[in-house]
Amino acid sequence: MGKIIAIANQKGGVGKTTTTINLAAALGVLEKKVLLIDADPQANASSGLGIIVEEVEIGSYQLLEHTITAKEAIVPTNSPNVDIIPAHIDLVAIEIELVDKDKREYKLKEALEEIKDEYDYILIDCAPSLGLITLNALVAADSVIIPIQCEYFALEGLGKLLNTIKSVQKLHNTNLDIEGLLLTMYDSRLRLSNQVVEEVKKHFQNMVFKTIIQRNVKLSEAPSFGESIIAYDATSKGAVNYINLANEILKINNKDG
């Protein structure tokens, strides 16, 4: 039985897509079968794994529309053991199209039923908003990873996201868990970075992953080559961080044996 994890935070620039791509690649390298679903109209997760977004004809838009099956939307990537359901800018329109549909929050959940068992992990890269697409991701997911950047206003908007998760738990998905809060863009030389780490750990304690993603130039460069950090530079700090995160998640889920 696969586990579906949404990577969500309505705040932009916190490392959501970076985390989705590189966690998928790291889990793949650790021999887990992974499906990445790009649920962000910016389609950065798709291009970050080498998909030519302009050429995407079938993807998450059609999946949410239910005009195709999940199996038909899956594309292999260059990353070992990682498949993707890519996005295209037309995904923007789905919010409007689903508004008057029955059970509109359940479209993604229903679409993934047939393939859930074919993967160890299904990771959903959410858009930086709390709109209908993100809601679909939270309803479909078993858990959520919330990336938080170690910078000013790190916790801004977090309360709103946690409230959204609570209402999803109450109304649509009682089994939704928080997989963990992930500290990203950490720079050990900055006092501010260290303060944010302290503050987040003080507030959220065991909910925070032990692994912290450090600031790393290679991490920013990799997507422009359409590669994960593992493929781009396996010895970089960023690659080591994401392998550690993948191991931590496997341990939490007892899938490390």
Side-chain angles (χ1 to χ4, degrees), residues 7-254:
I7 290 88
N9 189 334
Q10 78 274 26
K11 205 167 178 302
V14 296
K16 260 192 313 290
T17 302
T18 302
T19 293
T20 314
I21 291 172
N22 295 310
L23 176 57
L27 286 165
V29 165
L30 296 170
E31 298 187 343
K32 298 295 163 196
K33 202 159 184 286
V34 184
L35 174 65
L36 190 160
I37 298 171
D38 195 345
D40 181 352
Q42 293 175 63
N44 291 337
S46 303
S47 59
L49 278 177
I51 302 287
I52 298 162
V53 174
E54 294 72 32
E55 292 175 10
V56 171
E57 285 175 16
I58 296 177
S60 44
Y61 173 74
Q62 287 79 9
L63 188 70
L64 282 160
E65 230 186 5
H66 283 202
T67 52
I68 51 147
T69 65
K71 275 198 175 93
E72 291 171 310
I74 292 169
V75 180
T77 72
N78 299 329
S79 217
N81 298 318
V82 179
D83 292 339
I84 189 169
I85 293 180
H88 184 275
I89 189 66
D90 60 7
L91 184 58
V92 169
I94 203 76
E95 301 255 338
I96 301 151
E97 287 175 30
L98 289 182
V99 160
D100 54 357
K101 293 273 191 292
D102 204 28
K103 296 186 80 175
R104 59 181 184 265
E105 300 92 350
Y106 294 86
K107 295 294 180 193
L108 186 58
K109 184 182 173 69
E110 289 163 6
L112 295 180
E113 286 300 334
E114 59 155 359
I115 56 157
K116 191 171 176 181
D117 294 345
E118 292 179 22
Y119 291 92
D120 296 304
Y121 289 95
I122 296 175
L123 305 182
I124 309 171
D125 185 32
C126 296
S129 78
L130 292 176
L132 200 45
I133 307 177
T134 300
L135 187 57
N136 261 273
L138 294 175
V139 172
D142 298 304
S143 67
V144 194
I145 290 174
I146 304 171
I148 299 173
Q149 85 285 34
C150 298
E151 290 175 4
Y152 270 124
F153 306 126
L155 299 177
E156 189 189 48
L158 190 59
K160 202 173 174 187
L161 176 60
L162 293 172
N163 284 338
T164 301
I165 290 169
K166 268 199 196 108
S167 71
V168 169
Q169 286 166 329
K170 207 159 60 188
L171 298 170
H172 307 292
N173 183 358
T174 47
N175 301 322
L176 183 64
D177 271 333
I178 292 178
E179 188 82 17
L181 277 67
L182 177 68
L183 290 156
T184 63
M185 304 178 192
Y186 173 72
D187 186 337
S188 57
R189 298 164 304 181
L190 298 180
R191 203 166 86 213
L192 178 65
S193 268
N194 292 304
Q195 282 168 346
V196 171
V197 170
E198 270 173 50
E199 198 180 338
V200 172
K201 283 186 170 169
K202 192 173 78 191
H203 278 291
F204 298 101
Q205 297 163 349
N206 298 341
M207 285 165 70
V208 186
F209 285 113
K210 290 184 180 70
T211 305
I212 294 177
I213 309 300
Q214 293 162 287
R215 259 200 190 288
N216 180 233
V217 177
K218 295 271 166 61
L219 265 183
S220 327
E221 289 173 357
S224 59
F225 292 90
E227 290 182 337
S228 73
I229 189 64
I230 316 283
Y232 183 63
D233 186 348
T235 60
S236 67
K237 228 187 276 184
V240 172
N241 288 166
Y242 278 108
I243 290 283
N244 289 343
L245 177 65
N247 276 316
E248 192 174 342
I249 287 169
L250 293 179
K251 207 166 166 187
I252 292 168
N253 293 285
N254 296 321

